């Protein structure tokens, strides 16, 4: 009997039997699986003659063992990718490499609507108002510390309320006597002219523009008969027996010496310094 038909390893006669050529020499199926077959990278068993084999970068698998590491989908006839020696289908590979939503921590797949803000990324439906929990989407939003609010919730929770109209002040505004006002609501109590950015004064907790204060509120100087407003060159007022004077109008009737903060003599509705009073 010729050795040309004997198994290379066990010397079994292979005439009429199934065999595999190994280095041009016949090998029976049993010896092939034992000595020659590649080991499956998944199940660690030999890949026999009757099994379909998949090869990738020097590693071997049974066809049925070549599956996605994540979802176990068979990949022998599908596109795949390898990462850290792990085989994955396209979908799982995309999930693995995709950024994670800052809210739900799930992957944000390519083509998915998302929101990026200050280095973080959210699914569009996960980017919600901290208060009402509704998605912000294309609406404007505001922040408080690390929390995100839609406009109405931020206004309701944090905005100052105008003393005049009782509505929220969303931008700008005026503070007067430690109270907030809209610029358009902070007006003269008499003529209703806006006072923001102009000179004004107050009387009995009401604000007045200069003109209205002069005509409706200010006392008249008993000397010059003009309003005493506190504006201009005189800031001090002299009051005596129910009458008032500008500081610069309260003078000696005879020598015109200013009598503000000085001793004086009243006689016949006029005022005199002590020296002039002696000469009367």
């Amino acid at each position: 009997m010729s050795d040309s038909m004997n198994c290379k390893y066990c010397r079994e006669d292979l005439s009429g039997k199934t065999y595999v050529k190994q280095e041009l020499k016949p090998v029976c199926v049993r010896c092939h699986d034992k000595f020659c077959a590649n080991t499956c990278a998944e199940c660690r068993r030999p890949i026999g003659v009757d099994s379909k084999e998949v090869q990738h970068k020097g590693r071997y698998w049974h066809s049925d063992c070549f599956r996605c590491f994540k979802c176990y989908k068979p990949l022998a006839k599908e596109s795949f990718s390898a990462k850290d020696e792990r085989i994955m289908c396209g979908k799982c590979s995309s999930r693995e490499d995709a950024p994670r939503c800052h809210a739900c921590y799930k992957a944000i797949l390519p083509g998915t609507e998302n929101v990026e803000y200050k280095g973080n990324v959210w699914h569009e439906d996960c980017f919600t108002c901290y208060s009402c929990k509704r998605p912000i989407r294309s609406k404007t939003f505001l922040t408080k510390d690390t929390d995100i609010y839609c406009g109405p919730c931020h206004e309701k929770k944090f905005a100052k309320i105008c003393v005049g109209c009782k509505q929220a002040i969303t931008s700008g505004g005026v503070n007067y006597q430690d109270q907030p006002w809209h610029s358009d609501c902070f007006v003269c109590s008499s003529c209703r002219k806006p006072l923001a950015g102009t000179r004004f004064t107050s009387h009995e907790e009401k604000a007045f523009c200069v003109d209205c204060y002069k005509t409706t509120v200010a006392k008249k100087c008993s000397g010059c008969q003009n309003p005493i407003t506190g504006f201009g060159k005189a800031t001090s007022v002299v009051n005596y027996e129910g009458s008032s004077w500008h500081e610069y109008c309260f003078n000696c009737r005879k020598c015109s010496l200013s009598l503000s903060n000085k001793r004086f003599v009243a006689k016949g509705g006029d005022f005199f310094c002590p020296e002039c009073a002696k000469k009367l």
Side-chain angles (χ1 to χ4, degrees), residues 125-166:
D125 289 341
C126 291
F127 190 67
T128 59
C129 171
Y130 180 80
S131 182
C132 69
K133 308 303 180 185
R134 294 175 182 169
I136 301 293
R137 293 197 175 94
S138 60
K139 294 181 291 187
T140 58
F141 64 89
L142 299 98
T143 61
K144 180 67 174 179
D145 299 326
T146 58
D147 299 325
I148 295 167
Y149 294 86
C150 64
C153 286
H154 187 276
E155 180 178 301
K156 182 178 180 180
K157 193 172 182 67
F158 301 109
K160 294 179 179 179
I161 303 300
C162 175
V163 174
C165 68
K166 310 303 180 186

Side-chain angles (χ1 to χ4, degrees), residues 31-278:
C31 288
H32 173 272
D33 293 351
K34 183 176 181 179
F35 299 111
C36 304
N38 294 312
T39 300
C40 176
E42 177 65 21
C43 70
R44 304 300 177 185
R45 294 178 180 176
I47 303 173
V49 174
D50 296 332
S51 299
K52 292 183 179 179
E53 183 179 79
V54 177
Q55 178 184 358
H56 178 67
K57 291 187 176 181
R59 301 169 69 206
Y60 302 87
W61 290 261
H62 292 103
S63 177
D64 293 340
C65 291
F66 192 67
R67 299 173 296 180
C68 175
F69 172 77
K70 289 284 187 179
C71 68
Y72 303 108
K73 176 183 178 181
L75 296 177
K77 296 182 180 180
E78 303 286 342
S79 60
F80 64 90
S81 63
K83 184 176 182 181
D84 299 329
E85 296 189 349
R86 294 174 176 177
I87 306 299
M88 286 183 283
C89 65
K91 187 174 183 179
C92 288
S93 178
S94 296
R95 288 182 182 276
E96 188 77 7
D97 295 333
R100 297 284 168 173
C101 174
H102 192 63
C104 70
Y105 305 108
K106 294 181 180 178
I108 300 177
L109 299 178
T112 303
E113 295 292 336
N114 63 83
V115 177
E116 293 187 32
Y117 178 67
K118 287 191 173 180
N120 294 318
V121 61
W122 290 259
H123 293 108
E124 187 179 52
D125 289 341
C126 291
F127 190 67
T128 59
C129 171
Y130 180 80
S131 182
C132 69
K133 308 303 180 185
R134 294 175 182 169
I136 301 293
R137 293 197 175 94
S138 60
K139 294 181 291 187
T140 58
F141 64 89
L142 299 98
T143 61
K144 180 67 174 179
D145 299 326
T146 58
D147 299 325
I148 295 167
Y149 294 86
C150 64
C153 286
H154 187 276
E155 180 178 301
K156 182 178 180 180
K157 193 172 182 67
F158 301 109
K160 294 179 179 179
I161 303 300
C162 175
V163 174
C165 68
K166 310 303 180 186
Q167 299 298 314
I169 301 173
T170 57
S171 63
V174 176
N175 277 318
Y176 176 63
Q177 294 182 342
D178 294 326
Q179 293 182 318
W181 300 72
H182 288 113
S183 296
D184 293 340
C185 293
F186 186 61
V187 297
C188 174
S189 296
S190 180
C191 70
R192 313 307 296 173
K193 180 175 70 175
L195 298 178
T198 68
R199 289 201 308 168
F200 65 92
T201 189
S202 61
H203 178 70
E204 296 179 349
E205 298 185 355
K206 294 181 180 180
F208 294 87
C209 67
V210 174
D211 291 337
C212 288
Y213 185 80
K214 287 179 179 180
T215 58
T216 64
V217 179
K219 293 180 179 181
K220 297 293 190 295
C221 174
S222 296
C224 68
Q225 301 304 310
N226 290 319
I228 301 174
T229 63
F231 304 118
K233 64 179 180 179
T235 58
S236 298
V237 179
V238 177
N239 294 301
Y240 179 71
E241 292 187 349
S243 297
S244 300
W245 287 260
H246 293 109
E247 181 184 40
Y248 55 84
C249 291
F250 194 65
N251 302 321
C252 174
R253 178 68 175 175
K254 190 170 182 66
C255 70
S256 299
L257 177 72
S258 174
L259 300 177
S260 176
N261 297 318
K262 297 178 181 178
R263 293 177 62 190
F264 61 87
V265 177
K267 188 174 182 179
D270 294 324
F271 303 94
F272 300 90
C273 66
E275 295 298 321
C276 289
K278 292 178 183 179

